[in-house]
Amino acid sequence: QVRLLESGGGEVQAGRSLRLTCSTSGLTDRLYCMGWFRQAPGQEREEVATFENTGRRRYGDSVKGRFTLSREGTKMTLYLDLDNPRTDDTAIYYCAAGRSRTCSATNVDYWGQGTQVTVSS
Protein backbone atom coordinates (compact mmCIF):
# COMPACT_ATOMS: atom_id res chain seq x y z
CA GLN A 1 0.00 0.00 0.00
CA VAL A 2 1.17 3.50 -0.81
CA ARG A 3 1.45 5.72 2.22
CA LEU A 4 2.46 9.34 2.49
CA LEU A 5 3.08 11.13 5.77
CA GLU A 6 3.83 14.83 6.14
CA SER A 7 5.71 16.37 9.02
CA GLY A 8 7.39 19.64 9.90
CA GLY A 9 4.42 21.95 9.84
CA GLY A 10 3.69 24.54 12.46
CA GLU A 11 3.92 28.25 12.99
CA VAL A 12 6.73 30.23 11.43
CA GLN A 13 7.50 33.92 11.27
CA ALA A 14 7.28 35.52 7.85
CA GLY A 15 10.64 35.51 6.16
CA ARG A 16 12.03 32.65 8.24
CA SER A 17 12.58 29.25 6.70
CA LEU A 18 10.65 26.07 7.41
CA ARG A 19 11.14 22.56 6.07
CA LEU A 20 8.31 20.16 5.40
CA THR A 21 9.03 16.46 5.01
CA CYS A 22 7.02 13.77 3.27
CA SER A 23 7.92 10.20 4.17
CA THR A 24 6.68 7.63 1.69
CA SER A 25 6.28 3.91 1.35
CA GLY A 26 5.09 1.70 -1.49
CA LEU A 27 6.32 3.95 -4.31
CA THR A 28 9.16 1.78 -5.58
CA ASP A 29 7.31 -0.34 -8.15
CA ARG A 30 7.05 2.23 -10.92
CA LEU A 31 7.66 5.84 -11.85
CA TYR A 32 5.62 8.43 -9.99
CA CYS A 33 5.14 12.11 -10.10
CA MET A 34 5.08 13.54 -6.62
CA GLY A 35 5.09 16.80 -4.79
CA TRP A 36 3.28 19.30 -2.63
CA PHE A 37 -0.11 20.95 -2.77
CA ARG A 38 -1.84 23.30 -0.38
CA GLN A 39 -5.28 24.51 0.50
CA ALA A 40 -6.31 27.55 2.47
CA PRO A 41 -9.83 27.86 3.93
CA GLY A 42 -12.33 28.80 1.26
CA GLN A 43 -9.82 28.38 -1.54
CA GLU A 44 -9.10 25.72 -4.12
CA ARG A 45 -6.34 23.23 -3.62
CA GLU A 46 -3.35 24.35 -5.63
CA GLU A 47 -0.05 22.98 -6.80
CA VAL A 48 2.92 24.26 -4.85
CA ALA A 49 5.87 22.29 -6.18
CA THR A 50 6.06 18.90 -7.86
CA PHE A 51 8.41 16.49 -9.56
CA GLU A 52 7.41 15.04 -12.87
CA ASN A 53 8.22 11.34 -13.11
CA THR A 54 11.28 12.34 -15.14
CA GLY A 55 12.63 14.33 -12.21
CA ARG A 56 11.81 17.74 -13.64
CA ARG A 57 10.67 20.27 -11.05
CA ARG A 58 7.60 22.43 -11.37
CA TYR A 59 6.73 25.36 -9.14
CA GLY A 60 3.49 27.19 -8.75
CA ASP A 61 3.68 30.82 -9.76
CA SER A 62 2.89 32.05 -6.26
CA VAL A 63 5.90 30.31 -4.69
CA LYS A 64 8.45 30.45 -7.47
CA GLY A 65 11.74 31.74 -6.12
CA ARG A 66 10.62 31.43 -2.51
CA PHE A 67 10.23 27.67 -1.97
CA THR A 68 12.56 24.81 -2.85
CA LEU A 69 11.57 21.26 -3.70
CA SER A 70 13.98 18.37 -3.16
CA ARG A 71 14.04 14.68 -2.34
CA GLU A 72 16.16 11.91 -0.93
CA GLY A 73 15.85 9.16 -3.51
CA THR A 74 17.01 6.15 -1.52
CA LYS A 75 14.20 6.45 1.00
CA MET A 76 11.78 8.25 -1.31
CA THR A 77 11.56 11.16 1.08
CA LEU A 78 10.32 14.47 -0.25
CA TYR A 79 11.08 17.91 1.13
CA LEU A 80 9.67 21.36 0.72
CA ASP A 81 11.73 24.24 2.00
CA LEU A 82 9.73 27.38 2.58
CA ASP A 83 12.72 29.66 2.19
CA ASN A 84 10.85 32.95 2.36
CA PRO A 85 7.29 32.37 3.50
CA ARG A 86 4.66 35.08 3.58
CA THR A 87 1.48 35.26 5.62
CA ASP A 88 -0.57 34.32 2.57
CA ASP A 89 1.30 31.00 2.43
CA THR A 90 -0.75 29.90 5.43
CA ALA A 91 -2.54 26.70 4.46
CA ILE A 92 -2.69 22.98 4.94
CA TYR A 93 0.12 21.45 2.94
CA TYR A 94 -0.37 18.02 1.40
CA CYS A 95 2.09 15.58 -0.03
CA ALA A 96 0.84 13.69 -3.06
CA ALA A 97 1.93 11.16 -5.66
CA GLY A 98 0.51 9.90 -8.91
CA ARG A 99 1.02 7.41 -11.69
CA SER A 100 1.14 10.12 -14.33
CA ARG A 101 4.04 12.02 -15.83
CA THR A 102 2.88 15.14 -14.03
CA CYS A 103 0.85 15.68 -10.89
CA SER A 104 -1.99 18.14 -10.60
CA ALA A 105 -4.51 18.88 -7.87
CA THR A 106 -7.06 16.72 -9.66
CA ASN A 107 -5.12 13.77 -11.08
CA VAL A 108 -2.97 12.46 -8.25
CA ASP A 109 -3.63 8.97 -6.93
CA TYR A 110 -2.35 9.26 -3.38
CA TRP A 111 -2.58 11.94 -0.70
CA GLY A 112 -1.08 12.41 2.70
CA GLN A 113 -3.15 13.71 5.60
CA GLY A 114 -1.71 17.19 5.42
CA THR A 115 0.22 19.40 7.79
CA GLN A 116 -0.81 22.88 8.87
CA VAL A 117 1.55 25.75 8.16
CA THR A 118 0.76 29.09 9.73
CA VAL A 119 2.91 32.04 8.76
CA SER A 120 2.73 34.90 11.21
CA SER A 121 3.76 38.51 10.80
Side-chain angles (χ1 to χ4, degrees):
Q1 292 285 349
V2 173
R3 293 182 176 87
L4 309 174
L5 179 62
E6 304 94 338
S7 62
E11 185 175 358
V12 62
Q13 293 287 321
R16 300 213 174 184
S17 62
L18 182 73
R19 167 168 278 194
L20 305 182
T21 299
C22 175
S23 299
T24 72
S25 62
L27 292 174
T28 59
D29 294 330
R30 58 168 290 164
L31 295 176
Y32 294 91
C33 64
M34 60 180 65
W36 295 89
F37 298 79
R38 69 184 183 187
Q39 188 167 25
Q43 299 186 18
E44 298 177 348
R45 188 168 297 187
E46 66 175 346
E47 181 179 354
V48 177
T50 61
F51 284 106
E52 296 180 358
N53 66 8
T54 60
R56 179 182 180 273
R57 291 173 175 84
R58 293 169 52 182
Y59 290 97
D61 289 341
S62 65
V63 306
K64 186 174 182 294
R66 301 189 299 111
F67 292 4
T68 304
L69 176 69
S70 63
R71 64 183 170 189
E72 205 296 316
T74 301
K75 297 184 178 181
M76 298 295 289
T77 300
L78 195 66
Y79 303 101
L80 181 70
D81 292 318
L82 285 63
D83 303 299
N84 186 22
R86 307 182 305 216
T87 56
D88 60 358
D89 293 317
T90 295
I92 301 174
Y93 284 72
Y94 298 90
C95 183
R99 301 188 185 100
S100 302
R101 180 186 299 274
T102 61
C103 287
S104 73
T106 57
N107 81 343
V108 298
D109 299 291
Y110 311 104
W111 292 97
Q113 294 297 308
T115 185
Q116 176 72 46
V117 173
T118 301
V119 184
S120 61
S121 61

